[in-house]
C-alpha cells in the first residue's frame, strides 16, 4: 500500500484527510478510486490503514480501518550536521540518511565549504530538501520525516549541542593516527541522542576542530579509510543501526 504523511490535525480517531501534492499522486499517478486502501501517518508516530471514500480536486478523504503498531525508527535519536557540499551530494545525504534512520539534519556553512547559499534562495533549497526527506521517509517505512534546518555558520550550529546527550565530529586525523576506538567508547555510555558533525569536501579545519573540542565534542574516526563527505553520515548511520538494532 502507498504511504502518505498528513498533517496531525488531518488525522482524527475515525478518518484521514490527504491534501497538497499527495492528492495529485493518489489521483493522477496511482489512479486510485474510492474503496482502495492507503497507509497514512501523522508524523508523530501514528500510522493507520485507511480506505478512500471521497476524492476531490483539493483533498482525499479516507476512513481509518485499523492502527498499525510497528516501530521502524532507530532507537538512538541521531542528528546529522552536514557541512555544505557541492552539486547533488547533499540530496544524497538527505535521501539516504533518511532511509538509514537519521532524525534530523543540520546544514551549515563550514570554513572549507566551497558552496555558499544565497540568502534569497535558502528557503527554496530547504523546501526541496524537505520534500526529498518526505519521499524517502514514505519509501523506507519511517514513522517520522526528519527535519532539515540550515545554519549560516558552524558557530551558530554549535548552540544545538545542548539538545543532545552525546556530541561528536568526524575527524580524518584520527583515522590517520589509527585511533578507531572513539566511537565505540561514546556508544558505551548508551546516549539517547547523538549529534554528529561532518565537514565538507575539504574536511574539518583546525580552527573548527579546536572549537568543537572546547564545546565538548569528541573527535572520532570511522575506520582506516578516508571517506567522502557524502559517504560519512551513511557509514555512521549503518554502524549505529548494527549496534542498536541488529545486535539486539
Amino acid at each position: 500500500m502507498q504511504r502518505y504523511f498528513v498533517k496531525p490535525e488531518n488525522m482524527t480517531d475515525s478518518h484521514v484527510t490527504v491534501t497538497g501534492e499527495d492528492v495529485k499522486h493518489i489521483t493522477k499517478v496511482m489512479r486510485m478510486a474510492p474503496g482502495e486502501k492507503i497507509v497514512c501517518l501523522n508524523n508523530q508516530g501514528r500510522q493507520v490503514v485507511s480506505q478512500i471514500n471521497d476524492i476531490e480536486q483539493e483533498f482525499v478523504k479516507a476512513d481509518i480501518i485499523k492502527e498499525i503498531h510497528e516501530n521502524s525508527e532507530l532507537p538512538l535519536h541521531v542528528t546529522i550536521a552536514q557541512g555544505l557540499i557541492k552539486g547533488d551530494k547533499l540530496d544524497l545525504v538527505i535521501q539516504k540518511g533518511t532511509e538509514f534512520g537519521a532524525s534530523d539534519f543540520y546544514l551549515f556553512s563550514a570554513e572549507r565549504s566551497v558552496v555558499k547559499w544565497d540568502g534569497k534562495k535558502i528557503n527554496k533549497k530547504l523546501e526541496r530538501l524537505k520534500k526529498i526527506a518526505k519521499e524517502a521517509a514514505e519509501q523506507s517505512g519511517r514513522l517520522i520525516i526528519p527535519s532539515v534546518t540550515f545554519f549560516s555558520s558552524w558557530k551558530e550550529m554549535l548552540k544545538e549541542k545542548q539538545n543532545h546527550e552525546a556530541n561528536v565530529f568526524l575527524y580524518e586525523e584520527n583515522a590517520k593516527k589509527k585511533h578507531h576506538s572513539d566511537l565505540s567508547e561514546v556508544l558505551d555510555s548508551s546516549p539517547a541522542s547523538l549529534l554528529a558533525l561532518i565537514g565538507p569536501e575539504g574536511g574539518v579545519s583546525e580552527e573548527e576542530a579546536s572549537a568543537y573540542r572546547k564545546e565538548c565534542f569528541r573527535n572520532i574516526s570511522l575506520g582506516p579509510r578516508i571517506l567522502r563527505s557524502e559517504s560519512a553520515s551513511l557509514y555512521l548511520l549503518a554502524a549505529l543501526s548494527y549496534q542498536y538494532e541488529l545486535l539486539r
Side-chain angles (χ1 to χ4, degrees):
M1 284 183 283
Q2 292 292 313
R3 299 166 61 85
Y4 299 99
F5 282 94
V6 302
K7 297 177 181 178
E9 61 268 26
N10 285 353
M11 181 182 290
T12 69
D13 292 338
S14 59
H15 70 271
V16 179
T17 302
V18 181
T19 58
E21 293 186 5
D22 287 334
V23 174
K24 181 179 179 181
H25 188 268
I26 290 172
T27 59
K28 304 297 183 182
V29 179
M30 301 305 300
R31 297 184 180 278
M32 292 184 182
E36 295 193 62
K37 297 175 183 177
I38 56 177
V39 174
C40 294
L41 306 97
N42 68 352
N43 204 29
Q44 295 180 343
R46 186 185 179 197
Q47 57 179 334
V48 298
V49 176
S50 306
Q51 186 173 42
I52 297 174
N53 64 31
D54 186 19
I55 296 179
E56 302 293 340
Q57 186 173 356
E58 300 296 329
F59 61 84
V60 172
K61 287 190 175 183
D63 296 320
I64 294 176
I65 298 176
K66 67 175 181 178
E67 304 277 340
I68 301 176
H69 300 289
E70 297 176 357
N71 185 5
S72 58
E73 293 301 307
L74 193 65
L76 175 67
H77 186 111
V78 183
T79 299
I80 298 297
Q82 173 68 58
L84 293 183
I85 47 182
K86 296 184 290 185
D88 58 0
K89 297 175 183 177
L90 202 53
D91 295 6
L92 177 71
V93 170
I94 300 297
Q95 182 188 63
K96 300 307 178 184
T98 298
E99 293 178 20
F100 279 47
S103 298
D104 302 290
F105 294 98
Y106 295 163
L107 310 178
F108 66 98
S109 181
E111 283 193 10
R112 294 178 178 172
S113 289
V114 176
V115 176
K116 303 298 180 183
W117 279 14
D118 183 277
K120 297 179 180 179
K121 297 181 180 179
I122 290 176
N123 288 337
K124 186 176 181 180
K125 290 178 180 292
L126 285 176
E127 287 304 314
R128 179 173 173 277
L129 292 173
K130 288 177 181 179
K131 182 178 179 181
I132 290 174
K134 174 181 178 294
E135 293 173 350
E138 291 173 339
Q139 177 273 320
S140 59
R142 294 286 303 274
L143 293 182
I144 65 164
I145 305 170
S147 65
V148 184
T149 308
F150 173 71
F151 296 89
S152 57
S153 71
W154 56 270
K155 294 179 180 179
E156 193 69 24
M157 181 268 299
L158 281 183
K159 298 177 183 178
E160 297 298 318
K161 70 163 190 152
Q162 61 189 5
N163 297 322
H164 303 80
E165 288 189 11
N167 300 283
V168 301
F169 69 96
L170 277 57
Y171 199 39
E172 64 184 37
E173 294 303 318
N174 282 49
K176 292 177 181 178
K177 295 176 182 178
K178 304 185 186 305
H179 296 166
H180 306 311
S181 63
D182 304 273
L183 177 59
S184 62
E185 291 173 3
V186 170
L187 299 182
D188 283 344
S189 65
S190 300
S193 57
L194 173 72
L195 171 59
L197 275 63
I198 300 167
E201 292 90 348
V204 175
S205 71
E206 292 183 8
E207 180 185 351
E208 288 172 322
S210 177
Y212 296 159
R213 292 192 194 95
K214 289 180 180 178
E215 293 292 335
C216 298
F217 278 75
R218 184 161 182 174
N219 43 285
I220 66 169
S221 159
L222 293 181
R225 292 164 296 281
I226 304 301
L227 304 177
R228 291 180 181 272
S229 180
E230 66 271 22
S231 304
S233 61
L234 308 185
Y235 186 112
L236 174 63
L237 288 165
L240 294 174
S241 175
Y242 181 78
Q243 173 77 17
Y244 285 88
E245 295 176 314
L246 301 187
L247 286 181
R248 300 183 178 183

